[in-house]
Amino acid sequence: MVFHGPGDLRREDLPVPAPAHGELVMRIDAALTCGTDVKTLRRGHPVMIPKVPTVFGHEFAGTVSAVGSGVRLREGDRVVAANSAPCASCPSCLAGRPNLCEDLLFVNGAYGEFILLPPRLVARNVVTLTGSLPAERAAFAEPLACALLAIERVRVEAGQTVVVFGHGPLGCLLGMLAASRKARVVMVGKAGWRFDRLKNLGFARWVDATSAGNTVEAIREITGGRGAEVTVDATGRPEVWEQAVDSVARGGSVLFFGGCAPGTTIRLDTRRTHYEELTLLGAFHHTPEMIRRAVETLASGALVPDSLISHRMPLEEVGLALALMARGEALKVLIRS
Ligand SMILES: [Zn+2]
Ligand SMILES: [Zn+2]
């Protein structure tokens, strides 16, 4: 599937790529749709897609089908690849924060039969799958790595109340990770089919943002008036960022996970931020270390993401899958060629 610009995704027959030195070709066994693809299809993406036309899709797992010279992996190895690789030499990389790399190399092409991976990605961000981890679970490595980085940054601890605003796939992964650290997780979302699914994911509580009236008050109520130790925005809406700040407890931490539209701002209660020592944190993307830990988390069964797959479709129906996502009718769609 080739992206030619906003609203223009085409099915095209391309030659199977041949790997040069340091490159690798992977047969894609499973790909997942992502909200970012929906956004990109609507308005383009200056960072992930600097030029068009380009192959499309960025969450995938598969099998090595050909390797160039100098590559340590072998044909037939089952692998998962991240959708980016840091440069390892810019100030952010040298400071140990490669997710903020000033020269992140992005790779697209999950919605296809084969994908060519460039040398930097092959060297830094391809992980071999051991044991029986199925490709459709391994494909969650990329979004899960983003969630892991966020949960690490906010230092979720056992016994804390963690409120997650937003029940999209990432909101659910964030909630599941917090729950796996023995936090009491409260999910905030809108009633409907996605909300009903949450009840099966084993979260302690949920707040219906459509009927709870004042969501912040509802959260204060279920936390004995104190607010939550950790609040997480996974919606990318400025008004929800404000709710996340308003519902955090004294000494608590707010994690801004969802990216808002450019140019937006939020209001901030400076008195509370200072006297209640609020910690306000952003979290963006992932690192090679988090990709590896995400694969371990999936392989060990510590987190089973299967219930986040709401539909399964063949490669030809990627356009339809992304349309379902855009209408809020799908959580994640598994694409198989
Ligand atoms: Zn994604
Ligand atoms: Zn860098």
Side-chain angles (χ1 to χ4, degrees), residues 307-331:
S307 51
L308 301 180
I309 296 172
S310 60
H311 299 72
R312 291 159 185 266
M313 293 186 180
L315 188 52
E316 302 75 55
E317 289 177 13
V318 165
L320 188 66
L322 294 175
L324 279 182
M325 299 275 294
R327 293 200 301 269
E329 290 169 22
L331 212 45

Side-chain angles (χ1 to χ4, degrees), residues 106-278:
F106 280 94
V107 170
N108 293 283
Y111 305 140
E113 290 169 285
F114 295 92
I115 187 170
L116 177 72
L117 304 182
R120 193 204 281 181
L121 190 87
V122 174
R124 307 218 171 104
N125 238 348
V126 176
V127 184
T128 309
L129 302 179
T130 48
S132 58
L133 180 65
E136 60 184 73
R137 280 188 194 164
F140 276 91
E142 194 271 333
L144 182 60
C146 297
L148 266 172
L149 180 115
I151 291 294
E152 284 284 292
R153 272 176 70 59
V154 82
R155 299 197 180 138
V156 170
E157 287 168 23
Q160 289 184 326
T161 298
V162 177
V163 176
V164 179
F165 293 82
H167 51 32
L170 253 319
C172 290
L173 287 173
L174 288 158
M176 290 159 86
L177 283 175
S180 74
R181 296 187 173 205
K182 308 269 184 290
R184 171 189 184 233
V185 177
V186 179
M187 299 292 292
V188 180
K190 291 184 176 158
W193 70 271
R194 286 209 292 198
F195 205 61
D196 295 334
R197 269 181 174 250
L198 290 184
K199 298 175 184 171
N200 305 327
L201 286 171
F203 295 121
R205 294 289 293 261
W206 49 88
V207 171
D208 176 2
T210 48
S211 75
N214 188 331
T215 304
V216 174
E217 257 165 45
I219 292 164
R220 294 229 166 239
E221 209 163 280
I222 57 180
T223 51
R226 284 186 41 79
E229 282 95 347
V230 175
T231 60
V232 181
D233 169 75
T235 70
R237 293 156 53 125
E239 67 274 20
V240 182
W241 278 40
E242 291 181 353
Q243 290 173 10
V245 177
D246 291 344
S247 51
V248 79
R250 283 172 77 81
S253 300
V254 184
L255 178 73
F256 300 121
F257 184 86
C260 300
T264 46
T265 54
I266 62 164
R267 105 196 123 67
L268 186 65
D269 182 335
T270 53
R271 191 202 60 79
R272 278 194 68 218
T273 307
H274 174 75
Y275 290 103
E276 297 186 13
E277 281 198 352
L278 304 187

Side-chain angles (χ1 to χ4, degrees), residues 18-26 64-77 122:
H21 178 77
E23 294 179 339
L24 170 164
V25 175
M26 222 172 121
V64 175
S65 63
V67 293
S69 54
V71 173
R72 66 193 157 83
L73 290 152
R74 281 195 307 240
E75 205 185 309
D77 284 352
V122 174

